[in-house]
């Protein structure tokens, strides 16, 4: 009798179990699920065949074959939408269902805006845990200008309501005069 032990049934299926006469040929066939590959036929813990399908003659005793699987590797790529605004890291080739971190680091005057996959924002966190899918994947880091807060020291005066509270390096800021009862504003 030939039996098959599946090392991980979620990774694939195998056929070929049955009763065979001594010295008659039988064939074992492994069918991996998406994201996995056939890794070999084992008998008593030792690899006896890495071909699929695998054919051999029946012994004079029962045989229990183990089918083993491996996770396929896929490419994880990362890209900065503008390298003058920030850099990225974490690219590589990784096994299906494994976890890997990608990271975005903004340059001076910029903030990380988000990780995008197929133009869809998937995370606002600069460090993102990617669960590898069963295909190549490409992430793009996008950036935004950093908003600097303007702090006014008015010495008891009242700021002009049209004065900005923040600015970016691309803003041209003109500050309007504040008021203070009994005083004339001279300059910023």
């Amino acid at each position: 009798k030939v039996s098959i032990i599946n090392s991980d049934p979620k990774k694939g299926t195998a056929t070929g179990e049955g009763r065979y006469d001594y010295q008659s040929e039988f064939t074992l066939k492994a069918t991996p699920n998406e994201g996995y590959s056939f890794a070999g036929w084992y008998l008593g813990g030792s690899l006896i065949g890495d071909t699929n399908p695998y054919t051999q003659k029946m012994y004079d005793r029962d045989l229990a074959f183990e089918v083993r699987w491996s996770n396929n590797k896929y490419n994880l790529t990362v890209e900065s939408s503008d390298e003058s605004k920030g850099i990225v890291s974490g690219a590589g080739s990784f096994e299906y269902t494994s976890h890997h971190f990608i990271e975005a680091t903004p340059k001076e005057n910029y903030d990380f805006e988000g990780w995008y996959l197929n133009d869809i924002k998937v995370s606002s966190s600069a460090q993102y845990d990617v669960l590898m899918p069963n295909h190549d994947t490409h992430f793009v880091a996008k950036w935004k200008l950093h908003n600097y807060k303007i702090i006014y020291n008015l010495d008891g005066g009242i700021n002009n309501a049209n004065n900005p509270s923040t600015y970016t390096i691309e803003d041209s800021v003109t500050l309007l005069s504040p008021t203070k009862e009994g005083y004339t504003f001279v300059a910023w």
Side-chain angles (χ1 to χ4, degrees):
K1 176 182 170 188
V2 170
S3 60
I4 297 174
I5 302 163
N6 192 337
S7 66
D8 193 342
K10 75 176 185 197
K11 294 182 179 182
T13 59
T15 59
E17 288 185 312
R19 296 197 175 278
Y20 299 95
D21 293 331
Y22 175 65
Q23 290 296 311
S24 65
E25 283 192 347
F26 63 91
T27 300
L28 304 176
K29 183 175 183 199
T31 305
N33 291 334
E34 194 170 359
Y36 303 99
S37 294
F38 167 73
W41 294 106
Y42 289 76
L43 190 60
S46 298
L47 177 67
I48 58 145
D50 58 6
T51 58
N52 186 30
Y54 173 76
T55 301
Q56 101 166 38
K57 290 188 176 192
M58 185 61 190
Y59 291 8
D60 60 351
R61 58 183 165 81
D62 290 345
L63 301 172
F65 291 89
E66 180 185 7
V67 60
R68 293 187 186 175
W69 314 98
S70 62
N71 292 27
N72 292 344
K73 284 189 173 186
Y74 297 97
N75 294 318
L76 171 62
T77 54
V78 291
E79 172 187 1
S80 174
S81 64
D82 184 338
E83 290 184 1
S84 69
K85 297 177 181 178
I87 58 173
V88 295
S89 62
S93 180
F94 304 108
E95 287 187 359
Y96 173 50
T97 70
S98 62
H99 286 266
H100 294 279
F101 282 96
I102 55 177
E103 190 163 359
T105 305
K107 292 189 177 177
E108 187 176 4
N109 299 316
Y110 294 94
D111 292 327
F112 176 70
E113 193 277 319
W115 283 110
Y116 286 77
L117 178 64
N118 300 323
D119 292 324
I120 298 170
K121 187 175 184 178
V122 295
S123 178
S124 296
S125 175
Q127 190 177 58
Y128 181 57
D129 182 11
V130 177
L131 174 62
M132 278 306 294
N134 58 0
H135 54 80
D136 292 345
T137 303
H138 181 77
F139 288 90
V140 177
K142 293 187 180 181
W143 317 96
K144 61 185 175 184
L145 288 167
H146 181 77
N147 276 314
Y148 292 96
K149 185 176 181 181
I150 299 174
I151 299 173
Y152 295 94
N153 184 354
L154 301 172
D155 193 28
I158 299 171
N159 197 7
N160 187 305
N162 292 321
N163 277 341
S165 60
T166 63
Y167 73 97
T168 72
I169 60 167
E170 293 181 357
D171 292 336
S172 174
V173 178
T174 302
L175 298 177
L176 303 174
S177 299
T179 59
K180 184 174 180 180
E181 192 174 322
Y183 292 87
T184 301
F185 180 74
V186 178
W188 284 106

